Amino acid sequence: MTEHQHDTHPTDERDLAPTAPQQGHGESGEDSSRHPATPDSTTPTPTAPDDAEHDARHEDGAQVSTDSTPPGIPEAAIPELVIISGMSGAGRSTAAKCLEDLGWFVVDNLPPALIPTMVELGARSQGNVARIAVVVDVRGRRFFDNLRESLADLESKNVTRRIVFLESSDDALVRRFESVRRPHPLQGDGRIVDGIDAERELLRELRGDADLVIDTSSLNVHELRAKMDAQFAGEEEPELRATVMSFGFKYGLPVDADLVVDMRFLPNPHWVPELRPYTGLNEEVAAYVFNQPGAKEFLDRYAELLQLIAAGYRREGKRYVTIAVGCTGGKHRSVATSEKLAARLAAEGVETVVVHRDMGRE
């Protein structure tokens, strides 16, 4: 089944007031201050999907030992694990809150060295903690260097783990930190942009290993939650989940795209007066696009190519793919092609979300 989600571009993106980080919490009885309050539906200005990642730091501590899980714990008892990381101010707290609402046991700002211990405790809960989400960020400082070792430890124990990485543009991050008048955790005596640059470099390798990258530059709280729900709300985990995103090249490439398709080789319906006011969701526009020479052939061959790519992603354990389909303005050709492509993927059993990033922006 194909699910639609239309991204908008807030005219005035703002962050929520930061709160002190928590070491961990369960599924109920939590402090309501743990996450930023969700904006009321009557609020005219969209709220940025994070609290600008309050710059609290862990106190320095001794090295933490992470012994392997005792052999007495059956593999079936090991909980599912999601690691949420990414840029400060990009929406980690909102993503964590969404998983908590879906029934996950969420631990915020856990030192990476303690992740295997957390999984072991979940395995000993006799099924009471079947899904764990851990928020990891640079506020851990000394502990952050242990993340690689912890991930290798988890892999040796056959723990099913996924990494969700929250990304955002420099402009959006600066705007969010300035709106809450908080310094970036890594800026020190420098500027906010200095802290952002340092954090990007520190997280570069982790971003490359991520199973799911979400760009929140133009998303508000509700839109980010919709993306998280689309990926994690299902009762059964599908083999592969795809986001097909139409966009306009004149507005820039989506930074979270795994594959990019350029539909500008087809005539532009914008220059047909009777089609110009409509979008690729209109039947007349779609018919015009796919009646052009090469359009149907391209769709057929690209769908076949995606089958090969999807098979490779499954073999490599990659569960999420974002396919960006572009035209000049993101209104006609890319929208019509995205709809057709998403329908093909859904028919093949791939759970697909359609996002029209720039439709209605002109």
Side-chain angles (χ1 to χ4, degrees):
M1 178 176 64
T2 303
E3 181 178 339
H4 293 265
Q5 177 192 339
H6 301 276
D7 283 1
T8 59
H9 295 259
T11 57
D12 187 20
E13 192 174 28
R14 291 291 183 266
D15 277 335
L16 302 172
T19 57
Q22 302 292 320
Q23 284 296 95
H25 51 79
E27 301 179 19
S28 62
E30 65 181 288
D31 186 349
S32 60
S33 64
R34 156 65 181 83
H35 295 280
T38 302
D40 188 87
S41 59
T42 59
T43 304
T45 303
T47 307
D50 204 83
D51 57 3
E53 301 297 328
H54 33 270
D55 78 335
R57 275 80 164 170
H58 277 297
E59 297 180 357
D60 290 341
Q63 178 67 32
V64 181
S65 174
T66 57
D67 296 330
S68 59
T69 304
I73 299 177
E75 183 175 329
I78 298 177
E80 184 179 359
L81 175 67
V82 167
I83 298 173
I84 300 173
S85 190
M87 298 298 296
S88 298
R92 295 188 304 247
S93 295
T94 299
K97 178 62 178 176
C98 182
L99 290 185
E100 185 178 47
D101 292 343
L102 292 174
W104 290 67
F105 186 91
V106 179
V107 185
D108 192 2
N109 203 18
L110 183 72
L114 294 180
I115 295 177
T117 303
M118 191 71 228
V119 172
E120 177 185 337
L121 294 174
R124 293 179 177 276
S125 69
Q126 299 180 343
N128 292 324
V129 181
R131 297 183 299 176
I132 297 174
V134 176
V135 181
V136 176
D137 58 56
V138 293
R139 288 176 296 170
R141 297 269 176 150
R142 178 179 298 179
F143 297 105
F144 194 82
D145 295 334
N146 297 325
L147 180 58
R148 273 282 170 214
E149 181 180 345
S150 296
L151 292 178
D153 188 11
L154 293 171
E155 184 175 354
S156 68
K157 297 174 183 176
N158 297 319
V159 176
T160 301
R161 58 91 176 155
R162 287 168 290 171
I163 299 175
V164 177
F165 192 95
L166 282 301
E167 174 68 277
S168 193
S169 67
D170 287 3
D171 289 344
L173 294 177
V174 170
R175 189 163 59 247
R176 292 170 189 176
F177 277 105
E178 288 181 344
S179 69
V180 295
R181 299 180 182 178
R182 288 278 186 165
H184 188 280
L186 297 185
Q187 77 178 75
D189 296 330
R191 302 176 301 162
I192 292 177
V193 291
D194 298 327
I196 292 173
D197 289 342
E199 187 175 34
R200 281 200 195 282
E201 185 61 32
L202 180 63
L203 296 176
R204 188 178 304 279
E205 187 174 355
L206 180 62
R207 187 190 189 283
D209 291 339
D211 299 282
L212 174 63
V213 177
I214 300 178
D215 178 25
T216 68
S217 300
S218 60
L219 301 183
N220 60 29
V221 170
H222 306 293
E223 291 165 337
L224 175 55
R225 289 181 65 91
K227 282 182 173 287
M228 292 295 294
D229 285 342
Q231 302 296 343
F232 294 99
E235 294 182 0
E236 297 183 0
E237 187 70 23
E239 289 188 351
L240 183 67
R241 283 176 170 164
T243 297
V244 181
M245 177 188 299
S246 69
F247 73 96
F249 278 96
K250 69 180 183 179
Y251 300 116
L253 287 169
V255 298
D256 52 347
D258 297 298
L259 304 169
V260 177
V261 181
D262 187 352
M263 301 307 299
R264 292 177 294 182
F265 70 93
L266 297 175
N268 192 347
H270 175 80
W271 303 114
V272 180
E274 59 269 25
L275 297 180
R276 181 179 300 177
Y278 300 105
T279 71
L281 298 177
N282 181 270
E283 292 183 4
E284 287 78 5
V285 173
Y288 175 86
V289 171
F290 288 101
N291 283 333
Q292 302 301 321
K296 293 179 180 178
E297 292 80 2
F298 174 83
L299 183 64
D300 291 339
R301 294 181 184 181
Y302 193 73
E304 292 176 0
L305 178 62
L306 286 179
Q307 290 179 350
L308 294 176
I309 295 174
Y313 279 165
R314 293 185 180 101
R315 288 192 298 269
E316 294 300 315
K318 184 176 177 64
R319 302 190 181 193
Y320 311 98
V321 59
T322 298
I323 305 167
V325 183
C327 62
T328 303
K331 178 180 179 181
H332 296 112
R333 294 164 291 180
S334 62
V335 173
T337 304
S338 294
E339 292 290 327
K340 293 285 188 181
L341 191 58
R344 293 282 189 96
L345 292 172
E348 295 168 5
V350 178
E351 186 169 333
T352 308
V353 178
V354 181
V355 177
H356 298 306
R357 192 192 75 173
D358 298 324
M359 190 174 69
R361 187 171 182 177
E362 75 286 345

